[in-house]
Amino acid sequence: MSRKPVHLAVYDTFADWETGHTAGYLARAGYDIRTVGPTREPVTTIGGLRIQPDLALDEIHPEDSSLLILTGGDLWDTGDDLAPFARTARAFLDAGVPVAAICGATAGLAREGLLDDRDHTSAVSFYLAATGYGGGERYVEADAVTDGNLITAGPTEPVAFAREVFGLLGVYEGEVLDAWYRLFHDSDAEAYAVLAKAQQ
């Protein structure tokens, strides 16, 4: 049975480094990664890379997706340009389709009210508090947090973010998931042997 694609949101000021592990290893696991922009016009990342989106935001639907990934970017904090992505996240969660948000995207979800009743994390608690959201009591001091179908992480935790995504989608489980994390987060050479054995 073929898997539904993973939709990776891209926009100007997209934080290049935050979803590299996630997208790379989901692709290796057989997921088609489809980039989604505000339109199909090219966008430019913080690192100056130009990305031609596969789809425009109004072309995606939860029932056609395995996951929506929202990456950080300066535009989350400079206006409402990315608010439509947070509204799309609401539609995905309402439909029971997972959403994973890292860095500034967590502030976008906070403004949309999606963190008021879910455990979550971000860069620091006062970053989200500045949005005026009502979920401060649900903030967790952790590298990444999964609550139901929602994953959140701060900007310094791309590996933990990927770990949560892989666990939620069942890409890696148990000691293999732990070994993947230890290899890429801790440079634990012994973890490589566990992964190599699992891939035989």
Side-chain angles (χ1 to χ4, degrees):
M1 180 173 145
S2 62
R3 293 173 166 143
K4 295 178 181 179
V6 167
H7 291 95
L8 173 63
V10 296
Y11 19 76
D12 287 332
T13 74
F14 171 93
D16 312 64
W17 61 93
E18 292 178 346
T19 55
H21 292 87
T22 304
Y25 278 84
L26 286 177
R28 282 188 163 189
Y31 284 93
D32 181 23
I33 310 297
R34 307 297 306 278
T35 53
V36 181
T39 68
R40 289 196 180 209
E41 291 299 310
V43 299
T44 304
T45 72
I46 288 177
L49 303 179
R50 286 174 61 78
I51 298 175
Q52 177 75 54
D54 296 311
L55 299 164
L57 186 60
D58 62 8
E59 295 179 283
I60 68 168
H61 307 284
E63 61 269 22
D64 300 323
S65 183
S66 291
L67 171 71
L68 174 64
I69 302 173
L70 299 176
T71 300
D74 294 341
L75 289 180
W76 285 110
D77 297 319
T78 58
D80 295 328
D81 290 353
L82 301 185
F85 286 91
R87 289 194 292 271
T88 298
R90 177 180 291 282
F92 270 60
L93 291 170
D94 286 349
V97 179
V99 172
I102 187 170
C103 189
T106 61
L109 298 189
R111 291 185 192 97
E112 182 64 21
L114 295 175
L115 304 185
D116 289 355
D117 301 311
R118 295 176 171 93
D119 289 345
H120 60 276
T121 195
S122 184
V124 288
S125 59
F126 58 80
Y127 170 65
L128 291 187
T131 69
Y133 84 129
E137 293 182 356
R138 302 295 294 267
Y139 189 89
V140 180
E141 293 287 352
D143 52 8
V145 171
T146 299
D147 187 329
N149 280 329
L150 178 65
I151 295 167
T152 52
T156 61
E157 298 296 342
V159 177
F161 182 70
R163 176 196 64 206
E164 296 301 302
V165 170
F166 301 156
L168 185 61
L169 294 183
V171 172
Y172 302 123
E173 297 175 324
E175 69 172 4
V176 177
L177 179 61
D178 177 65
W180 185 92
Y181 179 74
R182 287 188 289 112
L183 178 62
F184 287 97
H185 188 266
D186 304 324
S187 299
D188 183 346
E190 292 182 5
Y192 181 80
V194 177
L195 288 175
K197 182 177 179 182
Q199 292 169 357
Q200 288 177 351

